[in-house]
Amino acid sequence: MSVLPAPGTISFARGIPSPDMFPIDALAQSARRAVENAGRVALNYGPPAGFGPLREWLGARHGVAPDRVIVTPGSLIGLNFVVAHLFRDGGTAIVEAPTYDRVIGALATAGADVATIDNTADGLDLDRLRELAAGNPKPKLLYVLPTFHNPTGRTLTLAQRHELVAIAVEHDLLVVEDDPYGLLRIDGERQPYVHELLRDAGGEHLAIFASSFSKSVAPGLRVGYLVLPEELVAPFEALATRTYVSPPLLPQAQLLDFLESGSFEPHLEFLAAFLRPRRDALLERLDADLSGLAEWTRPEGGYFLWLELPAHVDTTELNATAVAAGISFVPGAGFFAGGRGHNTARLSFSFPSVDEIEEGAHRLTALVRETLDR
Ligand SMILES: Cc1ncc(COP(=O)(O)O)c(C=O)c1O
């Protein structure tokens, strides 16, 4: 099945990059160099934790020993390892409401209990986090997306990052920070990672960091990674060995060549320039047509914007009408563990062109206005 939207449909649904975002020429050169220069290693089976030189590059980038970095075939499998390992005897996970739907699915499959803290226009409900973190039995982890959150596009303020870290340290709570979008900043100031703040606060052992090159280079490479506390490295290597012996090393060698060739920083600037007019086109249409009728986020980067309609609107029904009108989005309910969010929607602006976004957003706001008039 193709992951691409049906021809003729303008999709705000899939959180996938436009093919125009891929650095094709640079990756072609990196592919050839990777085979020629590293092929004798990268074409073989290898260590379960991935291509050594890429682990070194990532360790240096995050200021940690390379043996704490596990490179996985995409970060979702790393997040699945986190869930499988930590909830093998049950337990409670704290997640945001809303949060990344595939992690909700992984937690459900593992049989974990899930408690939620609201992520709203006012930020994270940290009072609720404090209450949950003090709970008995102790929650096993907090899973958060502090920067360009999926699905809302929100970014946690510095003050909230500090407060979250203080709560985690006080209650010895493991924090899984998922950050596949953080390098896709369109505007605003970069915030420190939560795992950096945890380290500064003496809580390095409480931080798991997950990231990926799927959104910043290409998902087809399937390169994601985890930065783990020391004691989790061996069990995760065992999980990786059991699951796939070793990950595909060639795309990791190819990616490392790309990263070391000096192409990455200019590429990130290109991506910001690519995403900016798309985000702005969507925001302009919403501002023009729905002001006072609905609410939406104004993301400083990433792929997503979050739309909240009046409580009586059901976005699953609205999406069915939208598909008939040649557009699609993701109804928000699936991003809430245990229900809610029936009046919300995730709109992705990474895939359609600016013209398609203008046309698609025009169709969408017309549909919303019709629904509200009814
Ligand atoms: C929040 C979040 N985490 C993790 C992933 C997994 O990405 P990948 O497995 O491609 O690295 C995604 C992909 O959409 C995501 O949105």
Side-chain angles (χ1 to χ4, degrees):
M1 196 185 85
S2 171
V3 298
L4 302 180
T9 298
I10 298 172
S11 175
F12 297 111
R14 293 306 306 265
I16 64 174
S18 157
D20 295 334
M21 291 164 73
F22 301 144
I24 300 256
D25 290 343
L27 285 178
Q29 290 169 26
S30 291
R32 168 162 279 282
R33 282 196 298 261
V35 176
E36 285 175 353
N37 300 337
R40 292 178 65 82
V41 171
L43 288 167
N44 218 325
Y45 290 108
F51 188 56
L54 179 59
R55 295 174 74 197
E56 277 167 31
W57 190 93
L58 289 165
R61 187 172 177 91
H62 291 293
V64 300
D67 59 9
R68 284 182 47 205
V69 179
I70 298 224
V71 186
T72 49
S75 60
L76 181 58
I77 200 153
L79 293 168
N80 271 286
F81 286 167
V82 171
V83 169
H85 181 70
L86 290 164
F87 295 96
R88 63 197 184 285
D89 312 318
T92 300
I94 307 173
V95 304
E96 297 167 87
T99 192
Y100 177 38
D101 51 352
R102 292 193 201 276
V103 165
I104 298 178
L107 289 165
T109 304
D113 292 323
V114 175
T116 59
I117 51 172
D118 285 350
N119 176 325
T120 67
D122 298 329
L124 267 188
D125 184 350
L126 295 175
D127 291 336
R128 170 91 175 133
L129 176 64
R130 195 172 283 107
E131 229 173 79
L132 290 170
N136 187 12
K138 209 176 98 174
K140 292 216 165 139
L141 59 80
L142 164 69
Y143 169 72
V144 275
L145 300 136
T147 306
F148 315 143
H149 180 272
N150 179 5
T152 67
R154 290 188 180 114
T155 293
L156 211 58
T157 62
L158 183 59
Q160 282 222 313
R161 284 171 199 248
H162 278 295
E163 202 179 332
L164 185 157
V165 162
I167 296 169
V169 169
E170 185 184 344
H171 295 285
D172 203 36
L173 176 66
L174 184 65
V175 180
V176 181
E177 176 183 27
D178 189 11
D179 181 276
Y181 301 97
L183 297 178
L184 304 172
R185 180 167 285 285
I186 300 171
D187 40 40
E189 285 294 303
R190 179 189 175 270
Q191 299 297 332
Y193 290 118
V194 166
H195 71 273
E196 290 173 349
L197 298 177
L198 267 168
R199 181 162 58 206
D200 295 347
E204 189 163 18
H205 59 293
L206 299 173
I208 293 182
F209 179 68
S211 189
S212 172
F213 291 94
S214 288
K215 316 297 172 172
S216 57
V217 182
L221 294 170
R222 305 311 293 132
V223 183
Y225 63 97
L226 296 171
V227 181
L228 294 168
E230 204 76 52
E231 67 276 10
L232 287 182
V233 171
F236 277 57
E237 284 182 336
L239 266 172
T241 306
R242 272 213 304 281
T243 310
Y244 42 68
V245 186
S246 63
L249 298 184
L250 189 59
Q252 297 185 17
Q254 178 190 5
L255 175 69
L256 179 65
D257 182 277
F258 174 78
L259 297 172
E260 287 183 331
S261 70
S263 302
F264 190 40
E265 292 304 325
H267 182 61
L268 293 175
E269 283 170 28
F270 161 76
L271 292 181
F274 186 94
L275 291 167
R276 182 180 290 110
R278 286 165 171 77
R279 176 202 62 178
D280 291 348
L282 186 52
L283 283 172
E284 265 170 40
R285 185 44 53 204
L286 294 172
D287 289 343
D289 294 352
L290 294 184
S291 283
L293 299 175
E295 309 222 328
W296 51 93
T297 56
R298 310 190 80 84
E300 292 184 339
Y303 283 11
F304 308 116
L305 170 159
W306 185 242
L307 181 63
E308 282 193 64
L309 297 171
H312 67 275
V313 178
D314 183 322
T315 51
T316 303
E317 284 171 18
L318 184 70
N319 192 45
T321 323
V323 168
I327 49 172
S328 64
F329 56 83
V330 183
F335 299 102
F336 289 81
R340 295 163 51 197
H342 66 277
N343 59 326
T344 58
R346 189 190 75 178
L347 304 182
S348 168
F349 49 82
S350 56
F351 189 83
S353 67
V354 174
D355 286 351
E356 286 170 333
I357 288 178
E358 281 170 357
E359 171 58 27
H362 178 72
R363 286 187 213 165
L364 176 66
T365 59
L367 269 181
V368 169
R369 292 184 71 106
E370 249 173 57
T371 307
L372 294 178
D373 284 347
R374 246 184 262 137

